[in-house]
Amino acid sequence: MSLPTLLVLYGSQTGTAQDTAQRIVRQALRRRLQVQALPLDNYNVVNLISESLVVFVCATTGQGEPPDNMKNFWRFLFRKSLPVGSLCQLDCAIVGLGDSSYPKFNFVAKKLHKRLLHLGANLLLPVGLADDQHDLGSDAVIEPWLTSFWDRLLAVYPSLADVIPLREDEPLPPSYTFHFLEDVKEKTDDRLRIPAEQTVQSHSCPFPARMVSNRRVTDASHFQDVRHIEFDITGSNIEFAAGDVVVIRPCNAPEDVQQFCQLLGLDPEATFILRRVDPHLLSLLPQPCTVRHLVESYLDIAAVPRRSFFELLSTFATNELERDKLLEFSSAAGQNELHSYCNQPRRTALEVLADFPHTTSELKVDYLLDLFPDIQPRFFSIASSLQAQPHRLHILVAVVHYKTKLYKPRRGLCSNWLASLDPAQGEMYVPLWVKKGSLKFPKEKDTPVIMVGPGTGVAPFRSALQERIAEGKTANVLFFGCRSVHKDFYFRSEWEEMMEAGHLTLFTAFSRDQEDKVYVQHRVRENAGLLWDLIANKSACFYIAGNAKQMPASVSDALKEVFQQEGGMSAEEAEQMLVTMERTSRLQCETWS
């Protein structure tokens, strides 16, 4: 029997599923298999009927939704017209990337598994359900799952036993090669090189929006720096509704770019073209491109590196001490050590390079795009409405800054980059695009909405309130919570104006302004009568937005108590009412970790 050809198809939102897919590719190449990896929407799904061996790597986003780069595939696969048994020739395996702090943990992988079985596919082994909440991250599941996968493949394809694999310390060929050019200077700012005819903004063609204002909205004495940022989107053709999100690709800090180039001995002004370029990369990197632009706008050097980073880095190491440590971090037995060194203190890839200077000096430039993933875009709830503020787009950004055992404070890449831009110092442009969000608000004029949005979770509700009031919809209730009325009460004057006009009922919870902490869930319980009347008698919709850790579950529990207290329901009946509201979109959540 000849060796199988392996196809790896992935749906990835933040890059983890893509990294896992590429890891499977590397393992396949070491076994001398023919292998190809593609985002699911880049694959012609009608060809699936003739494939023999496919691994699906799928993340779950939002409230159980497929990632953006597999949505077309998802719609096709669930067509009712697809005949049962149409995939009976297909051997496949599925690994899911999820987060158990979300209610629909790994929903996409589980649903894909059921659908493929229904279509007759042969599942080689149980679905791997990786959990980002595990101490060792998704690798805690992926590592043993991959071992089982290759063992199972050996049983199905015995000819694999005759293959002598490449040694683990032998580097695979680079995916791209750099060709440096002489006498080529950048004539334009590549970050803003947008074709004039572009009308639809996207990941590959964002709109360069001018930053109008960048204002801190927390008190100077408050521990958290939160920014209210406003962009001018005139001429962009961008449209959005309440609940939609804006997507922004950040840049690395200038000092990090400089250190990276120094560590690797690269001239930031050197210009190159890439050979063997795939369309995805070409859309993000201009040809030709400078080293500075590559490092500043593409390579994710400020992220905490994944295990695959250490696996590839170890193949370049000639210094014995460094090689041994990198091999330990790459091994299954060394994952606790890697967690302590890297994940726990949130050590960045750039800091790892500095810790392994001999290996870093051995790095060949051709491997940069294999070693470093591209910078992932960040998503922010839009905090304004075009109906109230035409040609403007607002966001509310908490600047991430915290200490670990490392000397240098940890900083969120996008939030700190945005905070560093000062439109008072000159025109600042931020490449961005807009996508549909998960929150949908009722079209009916008389349907009340109840919104629970503590902290920056209030951002989508500012958009909703501006939009609804412009449309004459005044049955609006908002529960807002923060630490202190004087330090982080976002949009206070706007809420007060809406209340005075009779357009808003506001309940606030300031957790640190009294001895006993008061949160939004307490206010929900205190207003049980009003909420029951709105939900049971007036068909109100209920929304929750904010941090995924404890708040959403606490608010849901408080709502169930409202149903029991005011509606005379049992605990089981209250739970069922909540499930029904969620199924009919009368209860919606937008949370993030």
Side-chain angles (χ1 to χ4, degrees), residues 456-501:
T456 56
V458 81
F461 300 143
R462 181 177 185 252
S463 175
L465 284 165
Q466 288 184 358
E467 182 173 288
R468 286 175 57 79
I469 291 169
E471 294 170 347
K473 300 171 181 174
T474 58
N476 305 306
V477 177
L478 174 64
F479 289 84
F480 173 74
C482 62
R483 286 184 168 232
S484 170
V485 66
H486 302 297
K487 293 185 177 181
D488 54 342
F489 190 175
Y490 311 134
F491 309 123
R492 177 180 182 174
S493 62
E494 294 181 33
W495 308 144
E496 290 172 348
E497 286 175 17
M498 291 176 187
M499 290 168 65
E500 286 173 19

Side-chain angles (χ1 to χ4, degrees), residues 22 26 77 81 101 104 150 228 406 424:
Q22 289 166 345
R26 287 194 294 272
L77 195 71
S81 59
S101 69
K104 293 190 175 179
W150 293 115
H228 177 193
L406 300 178

Side-chain angles (χ1 to χ4, degrees), residues 27-70:
Q27 292 187 357
L29 289 172
R30 291 199 177 279
R31 289 166 172 81
R32 304 184 190 276
L33 292 180
Q34 278 193 299
V35 61
Q36 183 183 23
L38 289 170
L40 276 153
D41 278 357
N42 285 20
Y43 173 73
N44 188 349
V45 66
V46 297
N47 294 335
L48 201 58
I49 197 168
S50 57
E51 300 288 354
S52 58
L53 180 60
V54 178
V55 175
F56 297 91
V57 187
C58 301
T60 296
T61 69
Q63 306 305 309
E65 293 136 27
D68 290 342
N69 66 358
M70 68 173 285

Side-chain angles (χ1 to χ4, degrees), residues 439-442 447-453 461 464-465 468 475-480 504-505 507 520 523-524 527-545 555 559 562-563 581 585-589:
L439 298 180
K440 302 288 185 288
F441 293 87
T447 302
V449 299
I450 303 159
M451 298 164 282
V452 182
F461 300 143
L465 284 165
R468 286 175 57 79
N476 305 306
V477 177
L478 174 64
F479 289 84
F480 173 74
L504 174 67
T505 302
F507 299 102
V520 284
R523 298 300 187 219
V524 167
N527 292 280
L530 170 67
L531 295 182
W532 176 254
D533 179 54
L534 290 173
I535 293 168
N537 302 324
K538 296 174 183 171
S539 300
C541 295
F542 196 99
Y543 299 86
I544 305 170
V555 171
L559 196 56
V562 169
F563 298 162
M581 285 181 66
S585 297
R586 286 183 59 205
L587 172 63
Q588 298 177 41
C589 293

Side-chain angles (χ1 to χ4, degrees), residues 166-240:
L166 290 173
R167 298 192 321 274
E168 287 298 322
D169 61 349
E170 191 175 341
L172 293 166
S175 301
Y176 306 95
T177 54
F178 284 63
H179 290 262
F180 286 92
L181 308 175
E182 301 295 330
D183 304 322
V184 177
K185 303 294 181 186
E186 280 187 300
K187 295 182 174 63
T188 62
D189 184 344
D190 290 313
R191 282 172 295 174
L192 305 178
R193 189 185 291 173
I194 311 282
E197 69 274 10
Q198 180 73 20
T199 57
V200 179
Q201 279 64 47
S202 66
H203 182 267
S204 59
C205 221
F207 176 75
R210 182 174 63 87
M211 184 181 282
V212 176
S213 66
N214 184 352
R215 184 167 58 91
R216 177 170 175 150
V217 289
T218 45
D219 189 79
S221 65
H222 191 56
F223 78 100
Q224 177 78 75
D225 179 0
V226 175
R227 301 300 179 100
H228 177 193
I229 300 175
E230 180 179 349
F231 298 105
D232 181 356
I233 56 170
T234 303
S236 66
N237 295 316
I238 287 175
E239 294 181 358
F240 56 85

